[in-house]
């Protein structure tokens, strides 16, 4: 697993998703600026933990698909229904 490529692509995808850019959130009193909540991710030698969920070993097919999406420069396909504009 090329961890350097994964980290480089995650940084790039974060930039595409607007990391650090505030968006307007409408409230009953008017509006305010807010930043998107980050998605916690921890990479281990033998697997990942995403969103404070369960440990996912790299041998798991869904984790392999997640890694392949990231290494290909795409947002993980499993997150697209929940975050259609990227996360």
């Amino acid at each position: 697993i090329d961890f350097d490529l994964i980290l480089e692509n995650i940084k790039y995808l974060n930039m595409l998703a607007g990391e650090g850019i505030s968006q307007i959130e409408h409230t009953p009193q008017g509006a305010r600026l807010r930043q998107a909540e980050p998605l916690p991710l921890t990479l281990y030698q033998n697997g990942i933990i995403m969103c404070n969920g369960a440990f996912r070993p790299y041998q798991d097919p869904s984790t392999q698909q997640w890694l392949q999406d990231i290494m290909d420069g795409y947002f993980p396909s499993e997150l697209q229904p929940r975050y259609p504009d990227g996360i």
Side-chain angles (χ1 to χ4, degrees):
I1 296 174
D2 187 346
F3 288 105
D4 290 332
L5 177 62
I6 291 170
L7 292 175
E8 180 180 322
N9 286 354
I10 288 173
K11 287 179 186 179
Y12 173 73
L13 292 168
N14 284 343
M15 183 187 70
L16 285 179
E19 179 181 48
I21 297 174
S22 297
Q23 296 180 352
I24 297 172
E25 178 180 13
H26 296 282
T27 66
Q29 294 81 22
R32 66 180 178 171
L33 293 176
R34 74 166 182 86
Q35 290 188 356
E37 290 292 320
L39 183 72
L41 171 67
T42 306
L43 300 172
Y44 294 98
Q45 183 177 1
N46 58 347
I48 66 171
I49 294 178
M50 186 171 60
C51 302
N52 299 317
F55 179 79
R56 298 170 56 178
Y58 292 131
Q59 293 80 13
D60 182 68
S62 69
T63 307
Q64 289 178 4
Q65 180 62 54
W66 185 93
L67 286 170
Q68 191 62 54
D69 289 343
I70 294 290
M71 289 191 294
D72 289 344
Y74 297 108
F75 292 102
S77 55
E78 70 183 66
L79 298 176
Q80 288 174 351
R82 187 170 168 194
Y83 303 101
D85 297 325
I87 181 69

